[in-house]
Amino acid sequence: MRFLRKLFNFYINSSIHVALSVFSLAWITLLSFDLSYTESVLYFVFYASITGYNFVKYFAIAKFHHRQLANWLKFIQILSFVCFILMCFYAAQLTLKALTFIVLLMLLTFFYAIPFFSKSQTLRTIGGLKVYIIALVWVSVTVFLPLITLDYKINLDVIILGIQRFLLVIALMLPFEIRDLKFDSNELSTIPQKLGLKKTKLLGLLILMSLFFLEFFKDSTAENHILVMFIVALITGLLVQFSKVEQNKYYSSFWVEGIPILWLMLILIFN
């Protein structure tokens, strides 16, 4: 039992879970436009997510405490290196247009984690910006990158999907920001810091309602996708409403972050 718990913690801490969520959203994009499963872009998204997230989370630790790294962090470093190699392998199979887009995203990720104007200021620490940068990156990776790779025309339905995905990521971030209220500096100006818990949860419901009703503005959408969207919005809304500062360690990092995986499973079941 202890071994399984350690394995599960490694699964969460090594960003495999969040990478599966990003992978799921990218696949959902392909399914939304009746595009075939494309291994090169989906696998690139998966391995790039592990590499990018671990870089952002553990760069400072690895930089300043390299010799004293715990075993679990050393394993994460090894996993990240392997994923980086695999990311490069699948990147080599992508189009030049897609690679140009990826370079821009990599620069954004780099400056999100690394100070640029001062020794301590990153895009992550600029007040009120964090959640929107994360949402922008997720939209770019899970909506536009797969479609650019397949040279799919950016039309109104794509724009609406991008807005929906942006709203979903912000909603998914709210339980994390609520959890981190006791740790975050006031300078970060997170949504719960500015609005308080009740208004933050109300905002989450309004976001999810907007996300759902935007589906009806698309030129083409399947009935099963509307049903799945409703289920996903409902479950996400409940998770936002029941989130609190003192929450179970897996509430956000597993259950909330696993919503895209559930979404993909439901689409595959109802298809």
Side-chain angles (χ1 to χ4, degrees):
M1 190 68 181
R2 188 177 178 183
F3 171 76
L4 291 177
R5 186 176 297 172
K6 285 185 176 181
L7 190 63
F8 182 72
N9 285 332
F10 180 80
Y11 167 75
I12 298 295
N13 293 330
S14 63
S15 305
I16 296 174
H17 188 60
V18 66
L20 283 174
S21 293
V22 179
F23 172 91
S24 297
L25 288 176
W27 192 357
I28 289 169
T29 296
L30 297 181
L31 291 170
S32 298
F33 295 103
D34 293 321
L35 298 171
S36 60
Y37 182 92
T38 308
E39 181 180 292
S40 58
V41 67
L42 292 178
Y43 284 18
F44 170 82
V45 164
F46 176 74
Y47 293 119
S49 297
I50 294 177
T51 304
Y53 262 88
N54 287 344
F55 172 74
V56 169
K57 288 195 294 185
Y58 302 117
F59 172 78
I61 299 175
K63 179 180 179 181
F64 297 110
H65 307 284
H66 182 73
R67 292 182 181 179
Q68 294 81 27
L69 287 179
N71 287 332
W72 66 270
L73 189 50
K74 290 179 181 178
F75 284 128
I76 289 176
Q77 282 189 314
I78 294 170
L79 173 68
S80 300
F81 177 73
V82 172
C83 289
F84 174 75
I85 298 299
L86 291 168
M87 178 192 78
C88 293
F89 172 77
Y90 286 106
Q93 302 176 36
L94 301 179
T95 63
L96 181 60
K97 187 189 296 185
L99 291 174
T100 303
F101 189 66
I102 288 166
V103 169
L104 295 175
L105 292 177
M106 289 176 65
L107 287 173
L108 186 60
T109 303
F110 181 82
F111 288 117
Y112 181 81
I114 306 299
F116 49 102
F117 289 129
S118 68
K119 291 184 178 180
S120 60
Q121 188 178 53
T122 66
L123 290 176
R124 187 182 194 178
T125 60
I126 296 177
L129 200 58
K130 174 184 172 182
V131 64
Y132 304 110
I133 292 176
I134 293 174
L136 177 63
V137 171
W138 276 57
V139 171
S140 300
V141 170
T142 67
V143 176
F144 294 106
L145 178 58
L147 298 180
I148 288 172
T149 301
L150 297 178
D151 204 25
Y152 189 88
K153 183 180 179 182
I154 306 300
N155 54 30
L156 179 61
D157 283 2
V158 173
I159 299 300
I160 291 175
L161 179 61
I163 295 171
Q164 287 177 306
R165 196 65 52 82
F166 188 86
L167 294 174
L168 174 69
V169 176
I170 291 177
L172 292 176
M173 285 292 297
L174 294 180
F176 287 90
E177 296 214 320
I178 290 172
R179 179 198 66 185
D180 294 339
L181 264 175
K182 58 184 177 182
F183 303 114
D184 286 339
S185 164
N186 289 332
E187 295 177 357
L188 289 177
S189 297
T190 63
I191 294 174
Q193 286 176 338
K194 291 187 289 186
L195 298 182
L197 286 180
K198 288 185 178 180
K199 289 183 179 179
T200 296
K201 293 179 179 183
L202 177 60
L203 175 65
L205 288 181
L206 293 175
I207 287 173
L208 291 165
M209 288 173 61
S210 301
L211 181 153
F212 175 71
F213 286 113
L214 276 171
E215 193 70 16
F216 296 97
F217 287 89
K218 293 180 180 178
D219 290 332
S220 177
T221 184
E223 288 185 7
N224 59 328
H225 282 226
I226 295 175
L227 174 61
V228 170
M229 176 75 75
F230 176 77
I231 296 171
V232 168
L234 178 62
I235 295 174
T236 305
L238 290 172
L239 286 171
V240 170
Q241 291 308 301
F242 287 111
S243 59
K244 51 188 178 181
V245 177
E246 299 294 337
Q247 58 183 251
N248 181 279
K249 63 183 292 188
Y250 301 120
Y251 186 87
S252 293
S253 60
F254 180 74
W255 296 110
V256 175
E257 210 147 55
I259 286 293
I261 302 173
L262 172 65
W263 189 359
L264 175 62
M265 291 172 61
L266 289 173
I267 287 180
L268 294 176
I269 289 170
F270 283 102
N271 259 355

